[in-house]
Amino acid sequence: MGQEPRTLPPSPNWYCARCSDAVTGGLFGFAARTSVFLVRVGPGAGAIPGTPPFRVIGELVGHTERVSGFTFSHHPGQYNLCATSSDDGTVKIWDVETKTIVTEHALHQHTISALHWSPRVKDLIVSGDEKGVVFCYWLNRNDSQYLFIEPRTIFCLTCSPHHEDLVAIGYKDGIVVIIDISKKGEVIHRFRGHDDEIHSIVWCPLPGEDCLSINQEENAEPEITNGKVIAETPITKGCYLATGSKDQTIRIWSCSRGRGVMILKLPFLKRRGGGIDPTIKERLWLTLYWPRNQPTQLVSSCFGGELLLWDLTQSWRRKYTLFSTSAEGQNHSRIVFNLCPLQTEDDKQLLLSTSMDRDVKCWDMANLECCWTLPSLGGFAYSLAFSPVDVGCLAIGVGDGMIRVWNTLSIKNNYDVKNFWQGVKSKVTALCWHPNKEGCLAFGTDDGKVGLYDTYSNKPPQISSTYHKKTVYTLAWGPPVPPMSLGGEGDRPSLTLYSCGGEGIVLQHNPWKLSGEAFDINKLIRDTNSIKYKLPVHTEISWKTDGKIMALGNEDGSIEIFQVPSLKLICTIQQHHKLVNTIAWHHEHGSQPELSYLMASGSNNAIIYVHNLKTVLESNAESPVTITEPYRTLSGHTARITSLAWSPHHDGRLVSASYDGTAQVWDTLREEPLCNFRGHRGRLLCVVWSPLDPDCIYSGADDFCVYKWLTSMQDHSRPPQGKKSVELEKKRLSQPKPKPKKKKKPTLRVPVKQESFDGNEEESMKENSVPVENGVSDQEGEEEAQEPESPCGLTSVVSKEPIICTPVSSGFEKSKVTINNKVTLLKKDPPKEKPETSVKKRKARSMLPLSTSLDHRSKEELHHDCLALATAKHSKELNEDVSADLEERFHLGLFTDRTTLYRMIETEGKGHLENGHPELFHQLMLWKGDLKGVLQTAAERGELTDNLVAMAPVAGYNVWLWAVEAFVKQLCFQDQHVKAASHLLSIHKVYEAVELLKSNHFYREAIAVAKARLRPEDPVLKDLYLSWGTILERDGHYAIAAKCYLGATSAYDAAKVLAKKGDAASLRTAAELAAIGGEKELSASLALRCAQELLLAKNWVGAQEALQLHESLQGQRLVFCVLELLCRYLEEKQFPEGRSSSSYHAWATGTEGLFVQRVTAVWRSIFSLDTPEQYHTALQKLQNIKYPSATNNTPSKQLLLHICHDLTLAVLSQQVASWDKAVTALLQAVVRSYDSGNFTIMQEVYSAFLPDGCDYLRDKLGDHQSPATPAFKSLEAFFIYGRLYEIWWSLSRPCSESSVWVRAGHRTPFVKQSQPLDSPRTEETDPEPRWPPGSDLILTEESEQVLSASKELFSEKHASLQKSKRTIADVQETLAEMIRKHQKSQLCTASGPNKNEPKQEAEEALPNAQSLCKEEEKETVSLPELTKRLTEANERMAKFPESIKTWPFPDVLECCLVLLHIGSQCPGCVTQEMQQQAQEFLQKYGNTKAYKRCYQSLCTRTFKDLEETVPQNN
């Protein structure tokens, strides 16, 4: 075909991680629909001097579905090779020089989602699919490797540029892995951090991690575990990896550390550059490019299409530079999908980007400015129109909802295109410029809209208030006709806009007042021409250039010529016999004026007719003329004609566009084809001749392309015929064919005009379906969406209906299409409705078929009938012969007596029954008057009908009742229970009807009937509600079950069933429901449960609101208040127990004052709790609530609630001066935290409630003989116990730390080299430096006070009590073990010897040293001895006073051990007397092995420590 035509290509595919790439030397390629377009960039592009140096040079055609991946080989010597992946399941390797396939594979079983050509291995192509399968394919040896890494959807993958075996893979759920393909896909690193789709992965262009100075501690996220720690090998030796995700972050990962080292959060930038509907929610695609040899810079896309250059050297500042800051509107206006670098032949570093705004932009990396833009089309090119005023402005109507205006005369830019999208919101199917008003462009859309754009302003278009019911096919400017032409010259426009729609109507719009009503010209045509018949369906309108003649093309193939102003019909052309798609009048400025009377027309029958109307128009005939012979016939196309255009530079030269995929230039006067353009890969929809260049033509097709081509450069002169036509069809068949979506089944639009050819065109676009945009279904319903139009195969017919196909999930149309669609400009033959008169009605079945048939016998038989009838009628007495004759000829009963008639009816009835037509038998019986017999027969045969039952009352009331009951039985047998119940109601059997419905589980209907027909207090109604409620509750439909219980006036049951769900919302509703129903106790319990559920989610506000539902929960509100304040208090101290993800009440945020004062202040201000009486009432309510004691397994939130309950009691008791109760409650809170093993909570309780110790409570108790004195002593003991541990831990902390318990002067730290293996549980091995026993440690005064008060812990009674408890527990454990062994031996004896028994016993008897000693001890003790020990221990327990047994006390021996440890670490701080007393306690009461070992270990260790400090002190 000579030089490549200038192309306006399809839009690059959307939502693909890598569907564009560029190679050194200036070749760029991008995937668009099912092919790849190649663009030459740089000096070698051969562009016109002064214009941007790029040119579309070709297309790689071969895939049948959307191309999802494209990558070049970046290895010197094979830059001509590239690879593509497609939704058709194949990966193809191409040679771009020959544009042919080198090889391909179809290894993947699922949709391929990622592709990359390894930058290290010359013949390795790696691909991944949506099921997580990765294939490595080696081109040279035609070998492949299957890898299944993770069962996740792969979104992108990138091979390492530094190591040939490493591949980074990004998944849909945000996981990133690096695999080693040489080790069968072993995961080297797994990076976790992103929480949404990975859109892009790029490796740092330089190996190693010295190129970036990233502070690990500052930027890393230690809580994220990214993978297993492995030894550093050459494979994993440092390299950075950057990932971009839908979660709006860019993360940079370190391969040597196996973790993230930097996070870049995308900024929200102010939108620039316009072109976007503000109502559309913006999406995000985050793609990256790491510039070669510039590891400190990273390019990324952003929300609105902006490109950012990040400076990675200033990670703490998150510094970035915006591309194209100097030129307004140069940025993309929508999200960017791909970035790829390109080095031109003159060594310019460029960056190419593809975007949702359908532009391909080229950026100069030296100044970050946009060099040039290549626009593209996201839909069919439906219409082309050159402006007659602004010469060179080409308007393009596209199926993506936008109008392009291309300034084809621009000197600086070959692709100077402006987009207009406001107010369109549908496929643009028709365009027409105003003949003399600059910038005024009329457009029509697929949804019937007609509007006017001013292309020189940014204003939205004017939209006509009158819509077509179907697609707008044609627009034309012409003189006004009545009624719009009426009035003065200044009152009406000189030209009005005419639009032809798919419903067959032509409307006249007033451009001055589009908001007014448009007029249907059919009324004027009918009135002017006195037409009484139905007017034809119009499919095309065209005005002669002088504005005096209008031509209308019709669905039946006729063309009507009308004369203004009254639209008088001049002639009718009966040439085409199929729908007329296009009409074009010759221009008037030719060398031969008579040529202006030439009119060319094209239809669905592939032949173009040219008519010369000069004679007809000048004759002024009174009556319309019919033309049946054309002036010229242009044959050659093999499919429907869609568009025609006369050359403005030649006489009689015409170009035509056809569904056969070609455009043809004709010399009409000689009926000669001149040249044929075959550059499109789809059906041509529009064509227009350049107004300036006689050699230049523009054409648009359903391949999403507009081509500018030269007639002189074409190799062919006529459309392809025979084999060539077949080849062209195959070429089009490589286009995608539509795949219906699985999820939605949208309603199809009714085709505007249907074709008369075979095959069903998937015509109409499924307007309710999700639009498909460039390969991806846009679930957010973007306005500017690519339509899923489907190219189709060849046919010999044309239509003007826009193609509307099933949306394709991949976004592309697959190919093998039978031409069934018309693209916009094509018009379709509507289904021809058959007139009612022509429809052959089905003849009703005869009631008397036997009699009728006997009347159609032979003439002799009929004559014999007449004689027999005459004999019967005229003989006074019938003899036997005559009677027999009449009986045989029963059909004569119609003419004789009633008896014979009855016999005839009987015979006919039997015939109907035998033939299976009981209804006809019933009618005959009714004619006879035997209604009761009919009913009985029908009931016996189960053939009663509504009509029969409706007629039953004629036979009497009792018969009617019987008939209804019989019909009810019949309906029940047929499972029509509702209908049966309705008939029971007709005979007033309401209870039976209700029972029938209930027994068949039609509860809703049964309740409706009972409610409507029975008394409100009838027990049947309540029983229905309860029965239905029970079933609904069983099936889990709790809300409807609750309604049933409420209907039965059982609010209690309703609340209970609602609460079964267990979530906070259901519990709250149930509580409110119970309160309304008067179930106060239930309401309170449910409200409390609701509050506890909300508490688990730390929803403090919701919990308090739930508790407000019931007054009796005032005390619980106080507990929750204390809990909220305590959690806030713990959070301030950064304890995990208090961490909350939700906000607190405003009153919980104050930090001033003591904790108890804060609590009482909140109670006073928020809960109006001020007087002693109110405190006392609340105390009484809370005292009745008891919680179980805590254990190590008590959940922390539940533990906190129980502790806060005790603390609330303590504060309330203090407010009413009940100090005994206050001490008891406070001790219960402390004991709960002690029993649960939560030392932190215990200490914080003391810190919050007893910040100054227990002296305050001692003073308040006063009398030492108070009943609460034992409780106070336990409380004080726990206080000292906690402080002892804090002192010990302060001594054990690293040497660099000090505390309120220890301070030091000059001291020398040392590290203990060893610790005894038997070291007690209370001291763990710690590598940090400790203070040696002899170092200069000084305890604070507070520490000394605690140590001096520690003598309170040396309680003989409590030590003895604890020893007895330990003895009892030890004996009980030993007895349990003996019983277990005995049962086991009995079981073994009963089941016979087991060879494996010794082995099993040996395995079970492999405890550690401690348990082994225990076992040995237990084995030596006999059962009587154990019984004796248990008895003695119980006797000792009984002797202890109740005050000692009631209140828990810290473990005395544990306290002794802690004191001795403190004394060993800080000699002199514990008096010799106390140490001696502690040792005595241990020797006296430490009867268990654990205490003995701890004591022995402590003594040994202390001795060694003293030995080690002597040389140091010397």
Side-chain angles (χ1 to χ4, degrees), residues 761-869:
E761 176 143 3
E762 293 173 77
E763 194 94 53
S764 31
M765 197 110 183
K766 291 198 176 177
E767 286 182 342
N768 296 338
S769 66
V770 179
V772 173
E773 303 184 73
N774 278 58
V776 173
S777 173
D778 180 8
Q779 297 295 339
E780 297 174 20
E782 185 80 18
E783 296 288 350
E784 176 195 332
Q786 159 186 334
E787 74 249 77
E789 295 140 311
S790 149
C792 301
L794 288 173
T795 17
S796 57
V797 237
V798 190
S799 126
K800 223 171 185 179
E801 168 70 356
I803 291 223
I804 310 171
C805 305
T806 340
V808 192
S809 59
S810 68
F812 280 105
E813 298 98 14
K814 213 173 170 185
S815 151
K816 245 180 183 175
V817 264
T818 28
I819 283 220
N820 299 343
N821 310 330
K822 154 151 195 207
V823 196
T824 33
L825 243 56
L826 305 185
K827 302 169 182 169
K828 317 212 160 193
D829 304 330
K832 296 183 180 179
E833 298 180 4
K834 298 179 181 178
E836 292 182 11
T837 55
S838 66
V839 176
K840 189 175 180 181
K841 294 185 178 179
R842 188 175 180 181
K843 193 175 180 181
R845 190 176 296 278
S846 172
M847 291 292 295
L848 302 170
L850 298 178
S851 303
T852 305
S853 64
L854 290 175
D855 282 336
H856 287 80
R857 292 181 298 168
S858 64
K859 187 186 295 183
E860 291 78 16
E861 291 292 331
L862 294 178
H863 290 170
H864 195 181
D865 287 347
C866 293
L867 294 174
L869 181 59

Side-chain angles (χ1 to χ4, degrees), residues 875-1071:
S875 57
K876 297 179 180 178
E877 290 185 8
L878 297 178
N879 55 35
E880 291 183 354
D881 294 334
V882 174
S883 299
D885 204 9
L886 284 178
E887 188 172 346
E888 181 184 348
R889 302 176 185 275
F890 64 88
H891 62 290
L892 295 179
L894 203 60
F895 309 99
T896 56
D897 55 8
R898 179 176 293 180
T899 305
T900 313
L901 177 67
Y902 280 179
R903 191 162 59 246
M904 183 190 80
I905 290 176
E906 215 171 315
T907 306
E908 293 279 9
K910 288 179 181 178
H912 285 314
L913 289 176
E914 289 171 0
N915 292 324
H917 302 294
E919 69 280 0
L920 300 180
F921 168 74
H922 298 155
Q923 290 185 44
L924 287 175
M925 292 300 104
L926 288 175
W927 290 2
K928 187 179 175 183
D930 186 14
L931 179 58
K932 187 174 181 181
V934 170
L935 292 171
Q936 287 177 341
T937 305
E940 290 169 3
R941 297 172 60 90
E943 294 168 351
L944 284 171
T945 63
D946 292 299
N947 288 336
L948 289 176
V949 174
M951 289 187 285
V954 177
Y957 179 77
N958 292 330
V959 174
W960 172 55
L961 290 181
W962 171 86
V964 170
E965 290 174 350
F967 191 38
V968 166
K969 292 178 182 177
Q970 177 182 315
L971 289 172
C972 290
F973 185 77
Q974 296 168 351
D975 291 332
Q976 299 185 52
H977 304 291
V978 176
K979 187 175 180 180
S982 300
H983 280 279
L984 283 174
L985 291 174
S986 69
I987 57 175
H988 307 294
K989 293 194 173 185
V990 180
Y991 288 102
E992 289 83 350
V994 171
E995 183 59 32
L996 174 64
L997 291 170
K998 177 188 172 185
S999 60
N1000 290 283
H1001 302 289
F1002 289 95
Y1003 286 100
R1004 194 181 296 271
E1005 292 79 359
I1007 290 173
V1009 170
K1011 198 84 173 172
R1013 301 290 290 270
L1014 300 178
R1015 292 174 292 109
E1017 63 272 17
D1018 197 308
V1020 170
L1021 189 58
K1022 185 173 183 179
D1023 179 65
L1024 279 173
Y1025 280 129
L1026 294 177
S1027 301
W1028 191 25
T1030 304
I1031 292 174
L1032 289 168
E1033 184 179 354
R1034 182 190 64 202
D1035 295 338
H1037 305 296
Y1038 299 130
I1040 307 176
K1043 294 178 187 177
C1044 291
Y1045 292 136
L1046 287 173
T1049 62
S1050 177
Y1052 183 89
D1053 291 329
K1056 291 287 283 184
V1057 73
L1058 263 184
K1060 273 193 170 185
K1061 188 82 173 176
D1063 61 297
S1066 300
L1067 288 169
R1068 173 161 186 156
T1069 305

Side-chain angles (χ1 to χ4, degrees), residues 415-565:
Y415 291 93
D416 183 5
V417 176
K418 289 179 65 178
N419 295 335
F420 297 89
W421 52 267
Q422 287 181 299
V424 179
K425 300 182 180 179
S426 184
K427 297 192 284 288
V428 181
T429 55
L431 294 171
C432 189
W433 292 92
H434 195 284
N436 46 44
K437 185 177 179 182
E438 195 174 33
C440 182
L441 177 64
F443 68 91
T445 69
D446 176 57
D447 60 2
K449 185 188 306 174
V450 175
L452 280 178
Y453 246 116
D454 181 359
T455 59
Y456 287 103
S457 75
N458 294 323
K459 296 179 181 178
Q462 303 176 59
I463 304 296
S464 172
S465 61
T466 307
Y467 275 55
H468 283 281
K469 294 179 181 177
K470 295 185 180 180
T471 303
V472 178
Y473 288 138
T474 309
L475 296 171
W477 291 94
V481 298
M484 206 170 288
S485 62
L486 304 177
E489 191 66 27
D491 298 330
R492 57 180 172 80
S494 58
L495 292 172
T496 57
L497 179 63
Y498 294 84
S499 61
C500 180
E503 74 276 23
I505 302 297
V506 175
L507 297 176
Q508 179 185 200
H509 306 265
N510 185 346
W512 288 4
K513 192 177 181 182
L514 283 178
S515 58
E517 183 182 358
F519 297 99
D520 181 355
I521 66 170
N522 273 356
K523 185 178 186 303
L524 178 62
I525 293 172
R526 191 183 296 276
D527 294 342
T528 300
N529 299 285
S530 301
I531 298 175
K532 305 298 181 184
Y533 54 81
K534 181 181 177 182
L535 291 175
V537 174
H538 305 308
T539 59
E540 171 73 357
I541 179 173
S542 179
W543 282 90
K544 193 172 180 295
T545 316
D546 59 9
K548 297 178 181 178
I549 302 295
M550 180 183 74
L552 289 182
N554 299 320
E555 172 261 345
D556 60 3
S558 65
I559 298 174
E560 296 171 309
I561 308 299
F562 297 90
Q563 190 175 39
V564 294

Side-chain angles (χ1 to χ4, degrees), residues 1396-1498:
N1396 296 328
E1397 187 66 28
K1399 183 178 179 181
Q1400 292 176 1
E1401 289 184 358
E1403 288 175 354
E1404 291 176 1
L1406 287 175
N1408 55 27
Q1410 178 179 343
S1411 60
L1412 190 58
C1413 296
K1414 195 181 235 183
E1415 288 291 326
E1416 289 173 357
E1417 184 184 5
K1418 289 177 183 176
E1419 286 174 3
T1420 59
V1421 181
S1422 62
L1423 182 61
E1425 179 65 21
L1426 285 174
T1427 307
K1428 179 182 177 183
R1429 289 184 189 177
L1430 186 61
T1431 304
E1432 292 174 353
N1434 284 327
E1435 289 175 353
R1436 286 196 302 272
M1437 286 280 292
K1439 294 179 181 177
F1440 289 107
E1442 285 300 318
S1443 60
I1444 298 295
K1445 292 190 287 187
T1446 302
W1447 305 112
F1449 199 85
D1451 192 324
V1452 176
L1453 299 185
E1454 183 183 355
C1455 296
C1456 293
L1457 285 169
V1458 173
L1459 270 173
L1460 291 174
H1461 270 286
I1462 294 173
S1464 68
Q1465 289 178 306
C1466 186
C1469 60
V1470 180
T1471 63
Q1472 288 296 327
E1473 180 184 351
M1474 290 183 69
Q1475 290 190 34
Q1476 181 66 30
Q1477 195 174 359
Q1479 291 173 0
E1480 290 175 356
F1481 268 84
L1482 284 167
Q1483 292 172 357
K1484 184 176 181 180
Y1485 300 107
N1487 58 333
T1488 62
K1489 290 270 184 182
Y1491 283 108
K1492 288 179 180 177
R1493 265 198 316 279
C1494 288
Y1495 178 63
Q1496 292 171 0
S1497 171
L1498 177 66

Side-chain angles (χ1 to χ4, degrees), residues 1246-1284:
Y1246 276 117
S1247 173
F1249 286 83
L1250 296 173
D1252 300 321
C1254 301
D1255 294 339
Y1256 175 76
L1257 285 178
R1258 184 186 290 109
D1259 295 338
K1260 290 296 183 180
L1261 287 174
D1263 185 8
H1264 287 287
Q1265 301 304 318
S1266 168
T1269 300
F1272 174 78
K1273 287 186 176 180
S1274 291
L1275 184 65
E1276 187 179 34
F1278 277 111
F1279 177 81
I1280 298 168
Y1281 167 83
R1283 293 299 187 267
L1284 272 181

